[in-house]
Amino acid sequence: MLDSYRYPTANRPVAMGVNGMVSSAHPLASLAGVQVMAEGGNAFDAVVAVASTLNVVEPYMSGVGGIGLALAHVASEGRVRALNFSGRMPRAATPDKFTTESLEQGILAPLIPGNLAGWLTLHETYGTMDRERLFRQAISYAENGFPITFVNSEIMHQTAEHLRRFPKSAQTILDGSGAAHPPGTRLVWPDLARTLTLIAKQGAEVFYRGEIAEGIVKASEEMNGLFTMDDLADYETEWQDPISVEYNGYRIYTTPPNSSGFQVLQTLKMMEGSEPRYQSVDTLHRFMESVKLAVTDRIEWAGDPDYVTAPLAGLLSDDYAASQRDRIDMATASKVRGERYADPSPDNPLRPGDPVEFEGGMTTHFAVADRDGNVVSVTQTLGGGFGSSVIAGDTGVFLNNMGSYFELADGNSNQIGPWKRVDFVVAPTQTFKDGKFHLSIGTPGGYGILQTTPQMLMNVLDYGMNVQQAIEAPRFKYTLGTHVVMEERFPWNVRRALELRGHEVDVVESFSRLVGGAQGIQVDQEQGTFQGGADPRRDGVSLGF
């Protein structure tokens, strides 16, 4: 446990509830989920209400044109399931058709959207309520308008240059002069309202095979994109077995490849047994060095499991963790080449270990827990802000730009290819104690997800913080070489001591979106109560009832 004098205080109270809890990145989305459960729906129903509302009120982060992953604790089955709706590249996608620039913005950047298929698979498998009820709030906000928040306005301003390249996108999001609307402006989105209404009435069929699919493909063809009707019609979600590790008496689950969630688990395994102390220089240094080793392995082994088999049993084994731990020099920071294969390489960077011998941004995260014990944790994304910046015709749907997470160069497991799934950095987690659900926590943040998530898990599991404190506590993120971004709330003397070990510390504001925007739910099994935490770095709000 933490020494009391060093215990970080939270700026917000922990949300509490006895019947259910929703923690999301926008108050209107959290309210939509709570209303569904208050009317008798379960967590799988509420997921649709939360996700579709986020599509409207947090439109730059996610939506039906994006992709995602979910972890679902299904109480009636006594198990955790993973649902993969991370999209695929069109079948016509070959490396020669792309440049780095065309993967970042424009009609070549999107993967086949998976989010809607994911939401409706969860609902159709385990939900109880009528689909049209679940889209009600989202449609209302799109038809009648919603107030732009300060965070909304700031991100719209930051992305305005990209949006202005596409008249429909600029017309939808920006004002008549091509600038972001000020906070408090009511934004009305009739095209999206019509699309969501069609989906509410006709389901996934209309999006993947019907009128909306035709609109998406027509827009793609007019802009020389690669989408075809067969690409959309053939897309399917996939139920998967999650991956997990034991960590200091807890069982932690996350999503399997093509998710890179194994980096989160691998980092924790290297920290296990080190007797961590909150904000001690030794613990921070060991964590940073563990992250760099795990990143290096992830670059080597991550990707579409149809093309590369990550040696997960080795990567997550106790023996491999011990061997990697022994590589850490506690006196000196090592260099890492960055977060991905194509990053520039510093002199003498770390090389991956050999786990085979040990075999045996823009994103949003939300979680929903119900009175029956079901918990659903979802991380979904458009990629960058407003994804590709392209609205598909008159559908109101922003298409993602997750093609940017592929590599173009030969020789790596994540090279772009036809019908391929991307190395996907999202990694929702669920933690159990003595076989009972304990904690859901996750965050957006690009590659930083894989560094922020184990920090928050340690805050709860090792330091005894509540879920709100764990989310608000200051964070850091390693980037390139020996550079580490640290929020300025880390004490000066701690940052200086890290610099003396060779870390190049880049200080950012106290609550920086560079290190994510997390949401979490903790369950007190003995009392039958829920505790929710939401990140002040964005518009996050937890609501219980």
Side-chain angles (χ1 to χ4, degrees):
M1 296 289 289
L2 287 171
D3 297 328
S4 59
Y5 74 93
R6 299 187 68 187
Y7 207 93
T9 58
N11 293 294
R12 300 179 176 186
V14 178
M16 298 283 185
V18 295
N19 293 303
M21 178 71 64
V22 180
S23 184
S24 87
H26 197 285
L28 296 180
S30 295
L31 179 61
V34 165
Q35 288 174 330
V36 162
M37 289 194 290
E39 293 175 19
N42 64 18
F44 301 97
D45 298 313
V47 161
V48 180
V50 174
S52 59
T53 303
L54 286 171
N55 190 158
V56 181
V57 301
E58 194 195 35
Y60 38 80
M61 296 290 185
S62 68
V64 294
I67 64 175
L69 297 170
L71 279 181
H73 175 234
V74 186
S76 63
E77 298 176 0
R79 61 170 171 164
V80 180
R81 304 186 74 184
L83 183 64
N84 188 318
F85 43 99
S86 63
R88 289 181 182 269
M89 283 305 292
R91 288 190 174 89
T94 53
D96 59 288
K97 292 185 172 132
F98 300 90
T99 65
T100 301
E101 292 74 20
S102 68
L103 282 176
E104 290 287 346
Q105 291 286 294
I107 199 60
L108 291 178
L111 279 65
I112 303 301
N115 277 348
L116 179 67
W119 309 343
L120 295 185
T121 297
L122 289 165
H123 173 248
E124 290 161 7
T125 307
Y126 296 111
T128 62
M129 295 184 78
D130 180 76
R131 186 176 58 236
E132 291 190 58
R133 166 63 190 88
L134 305 180
F135 282 89
R136 183 186 301 166
Q137 286 99 325
I139 293 169
S140 176
Y141 290 128
E143 282 184 340
N144 302 311
F146 68 95
I148 292 174
T149 69
F150 287 84
V151 172
N152 288 159
S153 183
E154 181 181 351
I155 295 177
M156 289 171 180
H157 173 73
Q158 292 169 348
T159 55
E161 180 179 355
H162 294 309
L163 295 173
R164 286 193 291 265
R165 293 175 51 196
F166 305 97
K168 188 69 175 181
S169 302
Q171 175 188 338
T172 301
I173 299 298
L174 305 176
D175 67 17
S177 68
H181 294 285
T185 303
R186 184 187 289 248
L187 183 65
V188 180
W189 202 337
D191 286 347
L192 183 59
R194 179 175 178 275
T195 287
L196 293 176
T197 300
L198 286 171
I199 291 169
K201 291 180 177 179
Q202 301 180 40
E205 182 73 16
V206 71
F207 186 88
Y208 290 98
R209 296 176 180 83
E211 179 181 339
I212 301 171
E214 291 169 357
I216 291 172
V217 171
K218 179 182 177 184
S220 177
E221 290 173 344
E222 289 174 349
M223 300 176 71
N224 297 315
L226 302 178
F227 280 20
T228 69
M229 288 296 291
D230 284 344
D231 287 335
L232 285 163
D234 291 345
Y235 183 73
E236 294 180 346
T237 61
E238 181 184 356
W239 285 106
Q240 300 173 310
D241 293 325
I243 59 175
S244 67
V245 295
E246 287 285 336
Y247 175 76
N248 288 341
Y250 297 89
R251 171 63 64 174
I252 303 173
Y253 292 87
T254 191
T255 42
N258 56 312
S259 166
S260 295
F262 64 84
Q263 180 183 316
V264 172
L265 303 184
Q266 189 180 359
T267 301
L268 290 170
K269 291 302 289 183
M270 281 186 273
M271 293 300 295
E272 191 173 33
S274 62
E275 298 184 0
R277 294 176 56 241
Y278 180 66
Q279 288 194 353
S280 81
V281 176
D282 278 350
T283 296
L284 289 169
H285 175 81
R286 184 183 297 277
F287 188 100
M288 292 172 185
E289 296 303 294
S290 296
V291 162
K292 287 186 277 187
L293 287 164
V295 165
T296 306
D297 278 351
R298 191 253 301 153
I299 292 171
E300 181 77 7
W301 295 108
D304 186 340
D306 291 344
Y307 293 82
V308 59
T309 301
L312 294 176
L315 286 166
L316 303 180
S317 69
D318 292 334
D319 289 342
Y320 184 61
S323 75
Q324 291 286 79
R325 198 180 301 125
D326 289 343
R327 297 176 64 188
I328 295 173
D329 183 341
M330 289 299 294
T332 306
S334 58
K335 296 179 180 179
V336 68
R337 70 184 184 188
E339 293 282 10
R340 58 190 296 175
Y341 179 86
D343 285 335
S345 181
D347 294 335
N348 300 314
L350 284 171
R351 299 300 177 192
D354 185 12
V356 175
E357 66 176 286
F358 294 91
E359 279 280 19
M362 293 281 178
T363 304
T364 198
H365 177 84
F366 67 92
V368 183
D370 67 24
R371 61 175 67 84
D372 298 322
N374 301 304
V375 185
V376 187
S377 311
V378 177
T379 311
Q380 57 186 28
T381 187
L382 286 176
F386 292 102
S388 63
S389 299
V390 174
I391 287 182
D394 295 324
T395 65
V397 174
F398 274 101
L399 297 174
N400 66 84
N401 72 334
M402 284 303 295
S404 61
Y405 277 76
F406 276 110
E407 308 292 351
L408 291 176
D410 294 334
N412 73 95
S413 59
N414 191 42
Q415 186 183 30
I416 201 166
W419 209 238
K420 198 170 182 181
R421 291 173 291 187
V422 73
D423 170 20
F424 201 24
V425 297
V426 308
T429 67
Q430 294 189 352
T431 299
F432 289 71
K433 178 71 171 177
D434 299 327
K436 297 179 179 180
F437 185 89
H438 182 64
L439 174 69
S440 164
I441 204 160
T443 182
Y447 288 104
I449 291 169
L450 306 173
Q451 299 187 42
T452 293
T453 303
Q455 290 176 65
M456 295 187 297
L457 284 166
M458 290 180 66
N459 287 345
V460 175
L461 307 182
D462 292 320
Y463 307 136
M465 297 185 198
N466 66 48
V467 66
Q468 185 64 43
Q469 291 167 322
I471 287 170
E472 287 195 32
R475 303 177 191 148
F476 57 85
K477 180 177 73 172
Y478 236 90
T479 55
L480 180 67
T482 56
H483 283 274
V484 58
V485 170
M486 300 186 76
E487 290 182 316
E488 64 182 358
R489 287 178 294 140
F490 282 96
W492 176 88
N493 61 311
V494 171
R495 301 197 308 261
R496 178 58 182 155
L498 290 168
E499 289 174 337
L500 292 175
R501 298 195 192 190
H503 301 276
E504 298 179 75
V505 177
D506 302 318
V507 180
V508 295
E509 64 267 31
S510 294
F511 289 88
S512 173
R513 289 202 300 271
L514 290 174
V515 290
Q519 323 299 332
I521 295 175
Q522 197 165 3
V523 177
D524 185 327
Q525 294 289 349
E526 182 176 337
Q527 297 298 320
T529 57
F530 303 92
Q531 300 180 19
D535 207 321
R537 295 168 180 86
R538 303 196 183 182
D539 286 327
V541 168
S542 294
L543 292 176
F545 74 109

PDB file of all heavy atoms in Angstrom, residues 63 88 253 309 479 507:
ATOM      1  N   GLY A  63     -17.066   5.638 -34.057  1.00  0.00           N
ATOM      2  CA  GLY A  63     -18.339   5.675 -34.746  1.00  0.00           C
ATOM      3  C   GLY A  63     -18.501   4.451 -35.610  1.00  0.00           C
ATOM      4  O   GLY A  63     -17.645   3.554 -35.622  1.00  0.00           O
ATOM      5  N   ARG A  88     -10.763  -5.004 -41.684  1.00  0.00           N
ATOM      6  CA  ARG A  88      -9.757  -5.586 -42.571  1.00  0.00           C
ATOM      7  C   ARG A  88      -9.489  -4.601 -43.703  1.00  0.00           C
ATOM      8  O   ARG A  88     -10.355  -3.787 -44.050  1.00  0.00           O
ATOM      9  CB  ARG A  88     -10.235  -6.919 -43.160  1.00  0.00           C
ATOM     10  CG  ARG A  88     -10.304  -8.065 -42.162  1.00  0.00           C
ATOM     11  CD  ARG A  88     -10.763  -9.342 -42.835  1.00  0.00           C
ATOM     12  NE  ARG A  88     -10.875 -10.458 -41.896  1.00  0.00           N
ATOM     13  CZ  ARG A  88      -9.905 -11.315 -41.618  1.00  0.00           C
ATOM     14  NH1 ARG A  88      -8.713 -11.186 -42.209  1.00  0.00           N
ATOM     15  NH2 ARG A  88     -10.091 -12.301 -40.764  1.00  0.00           N
ATOM     16  N   TYR A 253      -6.948 -10.207 -17.780  1.00  0.00           N
ATOM     17  CA  TYR A 253      -7.300 -10.599 -19.144  1.00  0.00           C
ATOM     18  C   TYR A 253      -7.184  -9.403 -20.088  1.00  0.00           C
ATOM     19  O   TYR A 253      -7.481  -8.265 -19.700  1.00  0.00           O
ATOM     20  CB  TYR A 253      -8.749 -11.104 -19.216  1.00  0.00           C
ATOM     21  CG  TYR A 253      -9.005 -12.401 -18.512  1.00  0.00           C
ATOM     22  CD1 TYR A 253      -9.327 -12.419 -17.162  1.00  0.00           C
ATOM     23  CD2 TYR A 253      -8.958 -13.617 -19.197  1.00  0.00           C
ATOM     24  CE1 TYR A 253      -9.585 -13.622 -16.504  1.00  0.00           C
ATOM     25  CE2 TYR A 253      -9.227 -14.816 -18.548  1.00  0.00           C
ATOM     26  CZ  TYR A 253      -9.532 -14.804 -17.203  1.00  0.00           C
ATOM     27  OH  TYR A 253      -9.792 -15.988 -16.561  1.00  0.00           O
ATOM     28  N   THR A 309       2.462 -15.822 -36.142  1.00  0.00           N
ATOM     29  CA  THR A 309       2.062 -16.435 -34.879  1.00  0.00           C
ATOM     30  C   THR A 309       2.966 -15.934 -33.769  1.00  0.00           C
ATOM     31  O   THR A 309       4.158 -16.279 -33.706  1.00  0.00           O
ATOM     32  CB  THR A 309       2.141 -17.968 -34.961  1.00  0.00           C
ATOM     33  OG1 THR A 309       1.290 -18.426 -36.011  1.00  0.00           O
ATOM     34  CG2 THR A 309       1.717 -18.587 -33.639  1.00  0.00           C
ATOM     35  N   THR A 479       8.991   7.276 -25.769  1.00  0.00           N
ATOM     36  CA  THR A 479       8.812   7.549 -27.197  1.00  0.00           C
ATOM     37  C   THR A 479       9.958   6.963 -28.016  1.00  0.00           C
ATOM     38  O   THR A 479       9.866   5.850 -28.512  1.00  0.00           O
ATOM     39  CB  THR A 479       8.671   9.061 -27.439  1.00  0.00           C
ATOM     40  OG1 THR A 479       9.792   9.760 -26.873  1.00  0.00           O
ATOM     41  CG2 THR A 479       7.386   9.593 -26.813  1.00  0.00           C
ATOM     42  N   VAL A 507       8.746  17.208 -20.238  1.00  0.00           N
ATOM     43  CA  VAL A 507       7.638  17.499 -19.333  1.00  0.00           C
ATOM     44  C   VAL A 507       6.467  18.090 -20.117  1.00  0.00           C
ATOM     45  O   VAL A 507       6.641  18.988 -20.944  1.00  0.00           O
ATOM     46  CB  VAL A 507       8.078  18.469 -18.226  1.00  0.00           C
ATOM     47  CG1 VAL A 507       6.911  18.783 -17.280  1.00  0.00           C
ATOM     48  CG2 VAL A 507       9.237  17.872 -17.437  1.00  0.00           C
TER      49      VAL A 507
END
